[in-house]
Structure formats: structure tokens, C-alpha cells
């Protein structure tokens, strides 16, 4: 905790509050029930993630079919997540089998506990990233980043839901850590760790593909000192990813089978409602508790922080060679997705979460006290009370 200096108390308080919130949501969030306005409700994707795990538990094999989200029927375990990469579900099913757990709600509870564990590891990886950057960051920036990870509504909600999101974000953090080590010391070991993290990340969730710029930057840097090493790294990458690409193509008809889960796409221009949903889901991803103008008033300070962090990423172009490329590609993927599907949820942008550290460093957020940031991030949670 010495890395937080005089801000240690604020960081510890944020971590404790974040842990209490997560345990409460892990226990209290209903499973596979229709949304109830004004009450904490089930997250609609969770049942489909549990359905994937249950299929492995019951059959010992991966699912060969996915019914699109448009065909979901309440009361059943939907299958629209069956197109996802399988590694998370294999891990989840293996733990449930070892514990002799098979009932859906209990499988979901194990998945939520796994997400919480992955969040704790993600926090540690985030701190390692700040350590690698070293003197380039001050203590306040590191402390603010820790508070953001602890209390951001997106991180809180998705670290208490069964699903592959947190494990994918953890893999992206591992990739960033490995890339920064490679940037400091160009070596075969650091390049190998980066490639392994990327390959495993794709076997967890295909959205990890969006942080491919880290691979490009590392190979370009490696090529400057050893062409053969960069070619070997690229070859390992192709060999590692090919089985997943073939599995997706022959099982779901596409290397990136979005249509299997989202349904057939059609061109659309996102309207104000989508933009507004993106804004509020960036700070408070509990739609069932949204209270219109009251919610707008309560989430605006936290949204200003998020906007500041994003603007800071774009302002860092001269000082950071990695943050802007990965966030830009993630943002481009998000925009592309929303021109094809109604998927405006801001959590998709959090795939670039390590870049938020650089965004904090290069925005007005850096001048905030960690105590003030904690208060701003906690304000939207009062919607659970009022």
C-alpha cells in the first residue's frame, strides 16, 4: 500500500466499500427473473452464461447451437451465449463438477464468486501496470485509478455476475502488463507472455481481439532488433488461434459468429435513446433502478469523470504509445457494433480498461482528491435507497 502514499486511507476505504457492495450484489441479485422496475433485478445475460456452463456439466461437451437473443423465453436458460469462446465455461464447469454442484442458481452463485475473484486479480494486475510505468505516474494518479477500479458501477456489477467478462478483462490487463514489460526490455520472454495472454484471452472472449494493437506494437518493436523473433512470435499466434477460428467457423458458420448470439444484423443509426443509455450505463448499469431526472442528477458527476478519463486518453497521444491505439480500436468496434445491433451498453468500452489509467493522468481527474472521486462514484448508488 506504500505506492498510494498519503492517499492510502482513501484507497483502503474505497476497497472496503467496493468489497461490501460486491458481496451484497453477489448474494442479493436475483437469478433468471424478469426485470422488476424499482427493484434489484437479474442481469439478462447471466442465465445464458450459466446455460453454457450447464451444457458442459450435463453433456461433457461444448454446445453446437445458439439461439439468438431475440428468441429468449423467460423461465428457461437461454442459449444465445453459446457462440462464446469456451475457456471460461470449461473452468466454471470444472469447479462446479468438483464441488458436485448442478442446480442452476448454485452454478450461477459459483460463477459470481469466480467473477469476484477475477476482479481481485484484475485490481492486482492494475497495480502492477502502475508499477511498471513507475516514475511516469505520480502517487495521486495511482490512487485515483485504484479508487476507480474499486467503485466504478461497471466494475462492481460485472464482478458480481456469472459470465466471462471479468476473466476477459483480466486477460487484457495481463496483456497490457506484458506489453509494458516488453516496451521496457525487448525480450523473447516478454513477447511470449504477451502472445500467451492474447491467445488465452481469445479463448475466453473474442472481444479481446480489439486490443490487437498491443500485439502489432510489440512485434514492430521486436522486429527492429530481431526479425526472426518477431516472425516466430507471429507464427505462434497463428498456430494458437487457428483451432478456435476453425471451431467457430464449422460450428456457428463464422470465425467471429456474432450473428449466432445477436441475430441477423441490419444497418441502423443509433438515436438519442441509445446514446443516453450508453452514458448512464457507463456509471450505473442497473436499468431497473433508473429514475429519469433523479437518476440524471445523481449520475452526472460520475459521468463527467468518465468523459474526462476518455478525453485524457485522446490527450495522451504524445506520451503514451499504447493507450490511445487500444481505446480507439475498442471504440471503433463499439460504434461498428451499434450500427448493426442495438447494443449500446457502455461495458463494451471497458475492454480497454488499462487505458483509463493514462486517461486519469492526462485529464482534470488527476487534480481530484481520491476521497472526492470516491464520493462522486458512490453518488449513483443512492438510487438503491431513494
Amino acid at each position: 500500500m506504500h505506492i498510494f502514499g498519503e492517499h492510502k486511507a482513501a484507497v483502503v476505504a474505497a476497497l472496503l466499500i467496493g468489497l461490501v457492495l460486491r458481496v451484497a450484489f453477489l448474494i442479493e441479485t436475483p437469478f433468471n427473473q424478469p426485470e422488476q422496475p424499482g427493484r434489484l433485478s437479474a442481469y439478462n445475460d447471466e442465465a445464458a452464461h450459466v446455460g453454457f456452463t450447464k451444457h458442459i456439466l450435463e453433456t461433457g461437451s461444448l454446445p453446437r447451437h445458439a439461439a439468438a437473443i431475440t428468441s429468449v423465453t423467460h423461465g428457461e436458460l437461454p442459449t444465445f451465449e453459446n457462440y462464446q469462446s469456451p475457456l471460461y465455461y470449461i473452468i466454471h464447469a470444472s469447479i462446479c463438477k468438483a464441488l458436485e454442484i448442478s442446480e442452476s442458481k448454485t452454478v450461477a452463485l459459483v460463477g459470481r464468486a469466480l467473477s469476484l475473484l477475477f476482479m481481485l486479480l484484475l485490481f492486482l494486475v492494475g497495480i502492477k501496470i502502475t508499477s511498471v510505468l513507475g516514475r511516469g505516474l505520480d502517487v495521486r494518479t495511482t490512487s485515483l485509478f485504484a479508487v476507480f477500479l474499486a467503485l466504478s458501477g461497471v466494475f462492481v456489477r460485472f464482478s458480481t455476475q456469472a459470465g466471462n467478462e471479468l476473466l476477459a478483462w483480466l486477460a487484457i490487463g495481463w496483456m497490457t502488463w506484458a506489453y509494458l514489460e516488453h516496451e521496457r526490455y525487448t525480450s523473447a520472454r516478454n513477447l511470449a507472455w504477451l502472445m500467451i495472454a492474447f491467445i488465452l484471452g481469445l479463448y475466453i472472449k473474442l472481444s479481446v481481439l480489439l486490443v490487437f494493437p498491443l500485439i502489432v506494437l510489440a512485434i514492430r518493436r521486436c522486429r527492429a532488433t530481431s526479425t526472426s523473433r518477431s516472425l516466430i512470435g507471429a507464427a505462434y499466434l497463428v498456430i494458437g488461434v487457428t483451432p478456435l477460428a476453425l471451431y467457430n467457423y464449422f460450428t456457428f458458420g463464422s470465425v467471429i459468429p456474432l450473428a449466432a448470439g445477436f441475430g441477423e444484423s441490419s444497418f441502423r443509426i443509433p438515436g438519442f435513446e441509445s446514446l443516453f443509455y450508453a452514458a448512464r450505463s457507463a456509471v450505473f448499469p442497473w436499468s431497473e433502478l433508473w429514475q429519469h431526472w433523479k437518476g440524471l442528477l445523481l449520475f452526472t458527476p460520475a459521468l463527467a469523470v468518465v468523459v474526462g478519463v476518455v478525453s485524457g486518453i485522446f490527450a495522451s497521444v504524445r506520451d503514451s504509445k499504447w493507450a490511445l491505439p487500444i481505446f480507439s480500436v475498442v471504440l471503433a468496434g463499439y460504434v461498428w457494433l451499434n450500427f448493426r445491433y442495438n447494443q449500446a451498453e457502455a461495458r463494451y468500452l471497458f475492454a480497454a480498461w488499462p487505458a483509463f489509467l493514462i486517461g486519469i493522468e492526462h485529464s482534470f481527474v488527476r487534480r481530484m482528491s481520491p476521497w472526492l472521486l470516491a464520493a462522486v462514484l458512490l453518488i449513483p448508488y443512492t438510487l438503491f435507497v431513494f
Side-chain angles (χ1 to χ4, degrees):
M1 287 291 181
H2 65 280
I3 60 174
F4 304 120
E6 73 256 34
H7 306 297
K8 175 182 175 181
V11 174
V12 170
L15 288 174
L16 290 175
I17 294 171
L19 182 60
V20 169
L21 287 171
R22 285 170 169 85
V23 172
F25 288 129
L26 188 153
I27 296 171
E28 295 298 328
T29 303
F31 172 71
N32 196 25
Q33 294 180 8
E35 182 178 297
Q36 300 182 53
R39 298 183 61 183
L40 178 63
S41 301
Y43 184 67
N44 62 343
D45 284 3
E46 186 178 44
H49 289 294
V50 170
F52 194 148
T53 298
K54 288 264 292 181
H55 181 94
I56 297 175
L57 277 171
E58 293 169 358
T59 68
S61 63
L62 299 177
R64 311 291 295 182
H65 170 73
I69 192 171
T70 51
S71 62
V72 170
T73 301
H74 285 298
E76 300 177 356
L77 290 180
T79 62
F80 60 84
E81 297 288 3
N82 284 3
Y83 78 96
Q84 295 271 7
S85 299
L87 183 55
Y88 162 80
Y89 305 97
I90 293 171
I91 295 171
H92 188 190
S94 298
I95 293 173
C96 289
K97 185 174 182 180
L99 296 174
E100 298 183 347
I101 289 170
S102 59
E103 198 269 330
S104 296
K105 288 185 179 180
T106 314
V107 171
L109 190 61
V110 171
R112 293 176 183 183
L114 272 178
S115 291
L116 179 55
L117 172 62
F118 297 146
M119 182 67 220
L120 296 175
L121 294 175
L122 181 148
F123 183 84
L124 294 177
V125 169
I127 299 306
K128 291 300 296 185
I129 290 171
T130 65
S131 298
V132 174
L133 292 172
R135 296 179 181 178
L137 298 173
D138 63 23
V139 172
R140 183 187 292 269
T141 298
T142 301
S143 302
L144 290 165
F145 185 53
V147 170
F148 188 83
L149 294 178
L151 298 178
S152 160
V154 174
F155 282 115
V156 169
R157 172 140 219 195
F158 292 99
S159 61
T160 57
Q161 299 296 299
N164 59 355
E165 201 81 65
L166 255 294
L167 185 56
W169 290 349
L170 177 59
I172 289 168
W174 178 14
M175 282 183 64
T176 306
W177 178 14
Y179 169 76
L180 292 172
E181 290 285 8
H182 184 263
E183 191 176 45
R184 291 173 67 197
Y185 310 108
T186 302
S187 68
R189 183 185 68 176
N190 289 331
L191 183 63
W193 278 120
L194 176 57
M195 295 297 183
I196 291 170
F198 182 63
I199 292 169
L200 288 178
L202 290 177
Y203 279 83
I204 295 165
K205 191 176 178 71
L206 285 175
S207 59
V208 173
L209 184 64
L210 294 173
V211 291
F212 186 72
L214 292 180
I215 301 294
V216 175
L217 291 170
I219 290 179
R220 284 181 60 187
R221 181 178 178 84
C222 191
R223 185 179 178 185
T225 57
S226 175
T227 301
S228 61
R229 185 183 297 164
S230 64
L231 290 174
I232 291 171
Y236 281 143
L237 189 62
V238 172
I239 293 170
V241 171
T242 296
L244 178 63
L246 292 175
Y247 165 76
N248 285 339
Y249 181 78
F250 287 108
T251 305
F252 300 109
S254 175
V255 173
I256 303 178
L258 282 179
F262 291 157
E264 292 302 321
S265 65
S266 60
F267 179 78
R268 59 186 294 274
I269 297 177
F272 175 77
E273 185 177 348
S274 293
L275 295 175
F276 190 66
Y277 178 65
R280 62 185 175 88
S281 66
V283 296
F284 192 75
W286 288 273
S287 296
E288 67 274 20
L289 290 159
W290 177 246
Q291 297 183 44
H292 305 291
W293 291 107
K294 182 188 291 186
L296 177 62
L297 178 65
L298 293 173
F299 92 70
T300 295
L303 180 61
V305 167
V306 173
V307 171
V309 170
V310 171
S311 65
I313 295 172
F314 285 97
S316 71
V317 62
R318 294 183 179 180
D319 300 316
S320 173
K321 297 179 181 178
W322 60 273
L324 182 56
I326 65 171
F327 184 79
S328 296
V329 174
V330 168
L331 178 60
Y334 177 75
V335 172
W336 173 84
L337 180 66
N338 277 277
F339 272 97
R340 302 182 72 208
Y341 299 100
N342 184 19
Q343 293 289 327
E345 194 172 11
R347 70 179 164 98
Y348 294 113
L349 295 173
F350 279 62
W353 70 268
F356 296 166
L357 172 63
I358 303 302
I360 290 172
E361 175 72 8
H362 289 83
S363 71
F364 74 86
V365 180
R366 180 185 180 184
R367 296 191 291 273
M368 295 177 68
S369 157
W371 286 110
L372 177 59
L373 178 62
V376 166
L377 294 176
L378 285 171
I379 288 172
Y381 291 99
T382 57
L383 286 168
F384 285 97
V385 179
F386 300 110

